[in-house]
Amino acid sequence: MDFLKSKNLKMEEKKYFMREAIRLSIDSMRAGNGGPFGAVIVKNGKIIARGFNKVTSTNDPTAHAEVVAIREACTELGSFQLEGCEIYTSCEPCPMCLGAIYWARPDKMYRTYPYCGLFICYSYIGSSKNEL
């Protein structure tokens, strides 16, 4: 029973973090900052970085949500590697963002899946052990 309770709690945490990434994407669009994309980076159950698309507001074609969040997390951790971290992103990363995620080496990445409910399906994409 405790295992199921623990498993359900972890899924609720994942849903919370994914909802935050989606909220960032919606808020960013409403504010006119850029496209509808958001990302959060989590370490030890706590959000350490947030990012949303800033391409049009900063005239920076690399300012995608995932890259913005990775930059903030690396600054927060004082490292270019995101060991022990998870990335939650509101959509499937583009090739540039996937490359940035690969080089930052988070333990896991979750994204929404376009063919089912936003808060139900997530995809595991990689780990820090070269499985990405």
Side-chain angles (χ1 to χ4, degrees), residues 19-85:
R19 285 184 181 115
E20 179 62 11
I22 293 167
R23 185 194 64 76
L24 286 168
S25 70
I26 293 167
D27 290 352
S28 174
M29 275 299 292
R30 288 183 178 150
N33 292 319
F37 309 104
V40 297
I41 299 179
V42 176
K43 185 164 186 163
N44 299 324
K46 180 182 173 199
I47 295 174
I48 62 165
R50 291 173 168 81
F52 54 85
N53 187 289
K54 297 181 179 182
V55 171
T56 57
S57 61
T58 62
N59 294 318
D60 178 357
T62 68
H64 291 198
E66 298 91 337
V67 173
V68 171
I70 288 168
R71 289 173 179 161
E72 185 178 311
C74 288
T75 299
E76 174 71 20
L77 297 173
S79 173
F80 65 91
Q81 302 233 309
L82 299 179
E83 191 173 323
C85 295

Side-chain angles (χ1 to χ4, degrees), residues 76-122:
E76 174 71 20
L77 297 173
S79 173
F80 65 91
Q81 302 233 309
L82 299 179
E83 191 173 323
C85 295
E86 297 177 342
I87 297 178
Y88 293 79
T89 182
S90 65
C91 66
E92 182 175 5
C94 73
M96 177 188 70
C97 291
L98 198 54
I101 291 164
Y102 175 82
W103 288 112
R105 298 279 193 242
D107 287 355
K108 294 180 183 175
M109 192 204 80
Y110 297 91
R111 65 171 176 92
T112 57
Y113 189 70
Y115 305 110
C116 64
L118 291 177
F119 304 129
I120 298 169
C121 295
Y122 306 103

Side-chain angles (χ1 to χ4, degrees), residues 1-9:
M1 228 28 175
D2 290 336
F3 171 73
L4 290 176
K5 195 182 288 185
S6 173
K7 190 173 183 177
N8 288 337
L9 181 61

